[in-house]
Amino acid sequence: MGGGGSKINMEEVSSALDQYSGINLAEVKAKLEALTVERSKARTLRSIDFDKVCGLLGIHPEAGFQIYQMFDKNHDRLLDIKELAMLVAFVMRGTAEQKLEVTFKVLDADDSGFLDTSEITEFIKTSRQWVQDSELHLTLIQTQLDLANMQSGDSAEEKKRLYSKKIQSIKALRAKMPPANMSDAEIDQLVSEVFAKFDTNHDNKISPEEFVAGFSAHPEVTKYLSCF
């Protein structure tokens, strides 16, 4: 798909969102227009670009590609305006259970239909690595913002807006993830606690049903497991 300009056809978007009652179309449009900063002036978003907009949507960056694939309905490795709208609406209006189902699929690295300790441990460690790597990224963006603050004019104002939004997005994602200095021992302890509370039939694996139930019953151990 592709071609055409960047103008958003709200009738097209609205027809794609019939399943979401009470959705604020103006808010969806605002989100989609924000995404055009990263997707240039095309009507599609490539998978290679999707990681750049995870922060705008509040999606865990390590889960980006899997979530992208779920909404690429025709599997052309592009998200057209309707598919983008569906993704934005899902982030805004999807139920907690729907988001947990997606999160489970992301964590289930081997597609076995169950989670084991290694999968949850790897997800948390990868998240910690992202936090560590983002420290340098934040510093670089802050430097760019400082330089833009020394300039004037429309171009400088647009840079300030863009850099400020990127900083806010990164900080918001970091707040959902393990701290950069979280030790392997602390991660292992957390995973043990998750299994002790989620694995109700004690078979050393977590089913989708146990995952959803555990998230609701034990929020104290789920802080670093969500993709949204």
Side-chain angles (χ1 to χ4, degrees), residues 30-40 45 53-54 56-57 84 88:
K31 285 279 189 184
L32 292 174
E33 288 176 339
L35 292 178
T36 63
V37 172
E38 296 294 350
R39 66 188 178 103
S40 177
L45 181 70
V53 302
C54 281
L56 286 173
L57 297 176
L84 269 173
V88 170

Side-chain angles (χ1 to χ4, degrees), residues 64-79:
F65 185 65
Q66 293 97 320
I67 293 172
Y68 178 97
Q69 288 180 308
M70 292 176 190
F71 286 88
D72 180 19
K73 300 299 185 182
N74 60 355
H75 310 295
D76 63 353
R77 297 181 66 82
L78 298 171
L79 293 189

Side-chain angles (χ1 to χ4, degrees), residues 9-11 17-18 27-28 100 103 105 108 111 121 125 130 179 205 208-209 215 218 221-222:
N9 183 324
M10 289 310 293
E11 289 185 6
L17 302 182
D18 286 341
E27 194 173 351
V28 173
L100 286 178
T103 297
K105 291 177 182 177
D108 184 17
D111 294 320
T121 299
K125 286 184 175 180
W130 186 91
K205 56 187 179 182
E209 295 76 17
F215 244 87
H218 305 288
V221 298
T222 64

Side-chain angles (χ1 to χ4, degrees), residues 5 8 74 94 96 100 105 150 168 171 176 178 195 213:
I8 295 172
N74 60 355
L100 286 178
K105 291 177 182 177
M150 298 169 63
Q168 292 171 3
K171 287 184 175 180
K176 301 177 183 179
F195 265 78

Side-chain angles (χ1 to χ4, degrees), residues 117-144:
T117 56
S118 65
E119 287 172 321
I120 295 180
T121 299
E122 182 61 26
F123 181 79
I124 297 175
K125 286 184 175 180
T126 303
S127 298
R128 180 188 60 183
Q129 184 63 54
W130 186 91
V131 171
Q132 293 170 347
D133 294 343
S134 70
E135 291 178 350
L136 176 58
H137 192 198
L138 270 177
T139 300
L140 293 174
I141 297 175
Q142 184 62 56
T143 299
Q144 292 173 315

Side-chain angles (χ1 to χ4, degrees), residues 157-193:
E157 290 303 316
E158 177 61 21
K159 287 179 181 179
K160 293 175 192 177
R161 187 192 67 78
L162 179 59
Y163 295 146
S164 295
K165 181 171 287 188
K166 284 185 176 181
I167 289 173
Q168 292 171 3
S169 297
I170 292 173
K171 287 184 175 180
L173 285 173
R174 282 167 61 95
K176 301 177 183 179
M177 298 187 193
N181 61 355
M182 189 175 190
S183 68
D184 285 355
E186 289 173 315
I187 291 176
D188 290 341
Q189 177 61 33
L190 175 59
V191 174
S192 294
E193 291 177 14

